[in-house]
Amino acid sequence: MWGRLSNGSFYHDYLNNTNNQLQQVAAAGAKFAPGTGVLSALCLAHGEGVVGQAALHARSLCITDTRLIPNYVCDDASRSAELSVPIVYQGEIIGVLDAEHAQAGFFGQAQQQFTEAFAAILGPRLANLIVRPRMTSRQPFFSAGSRGEQQHSIVAENWLTQAEFNSTLLQALKHFYTHRRWQSLPLQRLALLQQTKANTALAQGALKHQLVEAIAVMRQHTATALWGNILHARYIDKQDQLSLADQQYMAFSTLRRHQQLAQQHLLQQLWQMELLSR
């Protein structure tokens, strides 16, 4: 996907390491050697270079001429144009996508929007990879001697799988105002709703609140604002797809693709919250 930006560009991916520094973990172009990986991988502090500044301020930086940047960090070679886009999930900086090109002013709004959309999709998936080892490393802290604790163990093993979770939340979203459709949803198997004490009405209200809040967060960020607006108009405001496509100046097929991407992003966000609640 990175390679679609342009030939002649050099791409680098940075992720936060255990010391809260940005470690170069992937690259395309001169920095990558088959069988070896990233050559002379950089490790940058937040605020160091264009990459570090993008992470520090949690915003994209599109530099037309790096010679004008006092704290520019030269990697394998000095290049005139640089585009750095932070990977953010639930307010936390996970990493930075970075691209460089020898031609000054090479990167523009189109490349920035593409990279921001890519980072928005990548964020929840990287967070999932970070959270999963934490979940599998957890040890049971209850004994088998207590009946209540045994019941807790049974419930904990009965959480929804990710596929079941996605199906349940999609049904809830698509039938947001049709309460009879909610009656068959396995809400008691959602860790997100464990505070509702199996009260069906409270569980339904809590899940609706989670959906609305997650969509609102998407609408607040530039990279996901379009997707958030589509989800809100389609499911909360109950706007039909044809009129929504006209409103967004899109072909119907284009709207459908954006709607699917928006759903995927929303489900990834909520799945991370689900894992953390278990």
Side-chain angles (χ1 to χ4, degrees):
M1 193 168 182
W2 261 119
R4 296 180 186 176
L5 277 176
S6 173
N7 292 330
S9 296
F10 297 85
Y11 312 110
H12 316 113
D13 299 343
Y14 295 80
L15 293 179
N16 266 344
N17 60 22
T18 54
N19 296 321
N20 199 33
Q21 293 180 315
L22 295 160
Q23 180 73 46
Q24 201 174 55
V25 297
K31 284 281 292 186
F32 178 79
T36 303
V38 181
L39 301 174
S40 303
L42 290 179
C43 188
L44 303 173
H46 285 227
E48 185 178 2
V50 178
V51 170
Q53 284 292 316
L56 180 65
H57 298 290
R59 63 183 179 88
S60 301
L61 293 177
C62 188
I63 307 300
T64 57
D65 191 345
T66 58
R67 292 172 297 182
L68 304 178
I69 305 300
N71 62 345
Y72 171 71
V73 174
C74 179
D75 196 349
D76 59 313
S78 180
R79 299 182 181 92
S80 297
E82 185 166 3
L83 172 63
S84 288
V85 175
I87 306 170
V88 185
Y89 180 71
Q90 293 186 351
E92 180 180 352
I93 301 296
I94 298 175
V96 175
L97 297 178
D98 183 67
E100 295 180 318
H101 198 279
Q103 179 183 332
F106 179 80
F107 300 112
Q109 186 177 9
Q111 289 91 346
Q112 181 173 331
Q113 289 178 344
F114 173 86
T115 309
E116 287 174 344
F118 184 27
I121 296 172
L122 193 59
R125 287 162 173 77
L126 287 175
N128 190 27
L129 293 175
I130 294 169
V131 170
R132 194 181 299 276
R134 296 178 189 170
M135 297 298 299
T136 56
S137 65
R138 289 184 182 178
Q139 298 297 321
F141 57 87
F142 47 83
S143 67
S146 164
R147 181 179 178 183
E149 289 169 340
Q150 288 176 344
Q151 290 175 344
H152 177 75
S153 175
I154 293 171
V155 172
E157 293 173 356
N158 199 35
W159 298 128
L160 295 178
T161 65
Q162 186 171 6
E164 292 171 332
F165 178 88
N166 289 347
S167 176
T168 297
L169 265 67
L170 273 179
Q171 288 300 311
L173 188 63
K174 291 177 179 178
H175 304 291
F176 196 81
Y177 297 108
T178 310
H179 296 288
R180 60 183 177 83
R181 294 293 188 96
W182 285 62
Q183 294 174 2
S184 61
L185 298 180
L187 303 185
Q188 72 281 2
R189 295 174 60 196
L190 287 170
L192 279 174
L193 308 179
Q194 60 185 327
Q195 300 298 324
T196 61
K197 307 295 184 182
N199 183 302
T200 302
L202 287 177
Q204 292 179 0
L207 183 54
K208 285 188 175 184
H209 177 74
Q210 294 278 9
L211 289 169
V212 170
E213 284 295 308
I215 291 173
V217 170
M218 291 174 65
R219 299 176 76 188
Q220 292 170 4
H221 292 84
T222 303
T224 56
L226 174 62
W227 295 345
N229 289 335
I230 289 174
L231 291 179
H232 192 277
R234 183 76 184 94
Y235 300 114
I236 310 303
D237 292 341
K238 303 299 292 181
Q239 190 170 348
D240 66 89
Q241 289 180 313
L242 287 175
S243 61
L244 183 55
D246 289 340
Q247 180 183 317
Q248 296 292 338
Y249 302 102
M250 292 180 182
F252 183 76
S253 59
T254 303
L255 175 70
R256 290 294 301 272
R257 286 197 297 271
H258 277 292
Q259 185 174 314
Q260 290 171 355
L261 289 171
Q263 290 173 351
Q264 292 173 13
H265 183 78
L266 176 67
L267 292 174
Q268 283 288 342
Q269 284 187 304
L270 292 170
W271 176 243
Q272 300 313 312
M273 295 171 63
E274 171 74 8
L275 289 178
L276 292 171
S277 298
R278 294 183 179 181

